[in-house]
Amino acid sequence: MGNTVDYYNENAKKFIDGTVSVDFKQVQDVFLALLPENAKILDFGCGSGRDTKYFIEHGYKVDAIDGSIELCKLASEYTGIDVKHMLFQELTDVEKYDGIWACASILHVKKTELPEIFQKMCNATKNNGIIYVSFKYGDFEGERNGRYFVDFTQETFGEFIREVPELQIEEYWITGDVRPGRGEEKWLNLILRKSDIH
């Protein structure tokens, strides 16, 4: 994660300029429709704070974290809440959130470390709560333009998520990139639900 966090610290303003005004309403609303009223949400790797702001404006209680101190500063200004500087591995909450939103964030974690991250997300989610995650669609893992990425297809993710048996794939869909000039890139979007397996 070191190089990736450095990338976001050094390019925070540029990254925000490229993402903050992107219309992501369609996906945000799919997520919100699955949550109870007044739900508590964790924006897990909030980047610009775009989604946090949207959720707050729609009446939800939101905690936001990011591993880049520079993004935290800028996202705090943008959202009006204190965005916590924290790495994914540092999540220790238990059954606190109705939903966790990890939009294009945990894709920067090495695949060998991802089961632990998903377990931490699972632990932090209330029973029957939901987790949204998105990954670039494909089989690539490694450095890409100064950042680390792990990609998934629905098949490879389906195999992978068996390592966290409490999480079931509720739905998935594939989208093009919403940023200008990136339409050829494909994304795998997934909604996971936590079920009590005991």
Side-chain angles (χ1 to χ4, degrees), residues 1 89 109-118 141 160:
M1 277 290 284
Q89 291 84 347
V109 176
K110 288 185 175 171
K111 197 171 183 180
T112 53
E113 296 171 27
L114 266 180
E116 180 198 354
I117 303 293
F118 270 97
E141 181 176 6
F160 163 81

Side-chain angles (χ1 to χ4, degrees), residues 66-167:
D66 204 275
S68 159
I69 189 76
E70 293 304 319
L71 282 178
C72 287
K73 289 177 194 167
L74 294 167
S76 294
E77 286 171 25
Y78 181 65
T79 61
I81 68 165
D82 183 26
V83 174
K84 189 175 177 186
H85 179 235
M86 189 175 105
L87 297 176
F88 300 133
Q89 291 84 347
E90 295 171 326
L91 180 66
T92 56
D93 294 310
V94 177
E95 295 187 8
K96 182 176 180 181
Y97 298 102
D98 298 288
I100 294 181
W101 174 266
C103 180
S105 59
I106 58 172
L107 49 68
H108 293 311
V109 176
K110 288 185 175 171
K111 197 171 183 180
T112 53
E113 296 171 27
L114 266 180
E116 180 198 354
I117 303 293
F118 270 97
Q119 190 62 61
K120 287 176 178 287
M121 291 165 72
C122 180
N123 295 346
T125 306
K126 295 175 185 174
N127 198 37
N128 208 38
I130 61 161
I131 298 172
Y132 166 80
V133 294
S134 61
F135 295 89
K136 286 182 185 274
Y137 188 90
D139 296 309
F140 177 81
E141 181 176 6
E143 287 255 336
R144 192 193 269 137
N145 303 326
R147 291 174 289 171
Y148 194 89
F149 284 91
V150 57
D151 300 351
F152 279 106
T153 65
Q154 62 269 39
E155 291 84 10
T156 57
F157 188 84
E159 289 164 23
F160 163 81
I161 203 61
R162 286 187 197 139
E163 296 187 49
V164 189
E166 304 100 308
L167 293 178

Side-chain angles (χ1 to χ4, degrees), residues 166-177:
E166 304 100 308
L167 293 178
Q168 306 295 320
I169 299 173
E170 184 154 302
E171 60 180 294
Y172 72 86
W173 66 100
I174 296 161
T175 51
D177 199 300

